[in-house]
Amino acid sequence: MTEPSGKNKPTDGAVRVAPLMRQIESDARSTIRRRLVTHGMPAYNDEQLFEQVRATLQHAADGRDLRVLLLPELLGDDAEWSLEPNLKLSSHRPSTGGAILFVKRRILLPLTRWLLEYSQDNFRRQERLNRVLLSCVEELAVENARLRRDLDTLRGK
């Protein structure tokens, strides 16, 4: 049941979560927008512009599969832009190569693996950030292409 005032307040004591969550999200976005304006983004004084930018970036970050992007396809080899540490050891020295590789495998490789495991979370965060940024660039490129197409249509091309 709702109150006669038109507000969706249940009389049975239950709390409606969806409107409350929308209000909390709206308050959080307003706080972020004001902070950005205060710290040098006066364009965000326009709340509608801020919402459009936020929605585009939110879609780029959350609304799509970050493994399916055009730019990595254009870049070619996945190894050139993704973070994949390489721990393979080899030597070009025919006579002393075996001894050098022995020292590298027994001393340097365990230290390097420890450092890699220690850094793994940073690598994962950096790779996610790279993918989100690539997704943002792609979203903006798509939006730019749509706007250019609409502009050409208006010009009669």
Side-chain angles (χ1 to χ4, degrees):
M1 290 213 124
T2 61
E3 290 182 357
S5 66
K7 296 188 183 202
N8 290 330
K9 290 187 180 180
T11 57
D12 62 359
V15 176
R16 295 194 188 268
V17 177
L20 182 60
M21 285 303 296
R22 280 194 298 274
Q23 184 61 46
I24 291 170
E25 289 170 355
S26 176
D27 291 347
R29 286 193 303 270
S30 292
T31 300
I32 291 168
R33 184 179 62 79
R34 285 192 304 273
R35 186 174 58 236
L36 290 170
V37 168
T38 302
H39 289 88
M41 283 298 294
Y44 291 151
N45 273 323
D46 181 347
E47 195 171 336
Q48 192 175 24
L49 176 73
F50 172 79
E51 256 324 296
Q52 288 173 325
V53 171
R54 188 205 58 77
T56 299
L57 295 176
Q58 188 74 49
H59 176 71
D62 296 337
R64 59 184 296 177
D65 185 353
L66 295 177
R67 295 168 294 169
V68 182
L69 298 168
L70 178 59
L71 195 55
E73 295 293 329
L74 298 175
L75 290 174
D77 189 15
D78 195 35
E80 289 196 22
W81 63 273
S82 65
L83 296 171
E84 288 293 326
N86 185 357
L87 293 178
K88 296 177 185 168
L89 298 174
S90 62
S91 177
H92 64 280
R93 296 174 185 93
S95 58
T96 60
I100 292 172
L101 283 177
F102 177 80
V103 169
K104 285 182 177 181
R105 285 186 182 125
R106 296 291 180 194
I107 298 171
L108 295 180
L109 191 58
L111 287 173
T112 305
R113 284 199 178 149
W114 174 83
L115 183 61
L116 175 65
E117 288 171 8
Y118 179 77
S119 305
Q120 202 68 29
D121 284 339
N122 289 332
F123 286 133
R124 279 191 214 98
R125 280 194 299 273
Q126 184 64 52
E127 185 169 9
R128 169 141 172 80
L129 179 63
N130 290 351
R131 287 185 182 275
V132 167
L133 289 174
L134 288 173
S135 179
C136 289
V137 167
E138 188 167 314
E139 284 291 322
L140 294 173
V142 167
E143 187 66 25
N144 186 43
R146 284 184 185 136
L147 292 171
R148 191 167 301 281
R149 181 190 61 205
D150 293 347
L151 184 61
D152 288 345
T153 302
L154 289 174
R155 287 183 180 164
K157 288 186 176 181

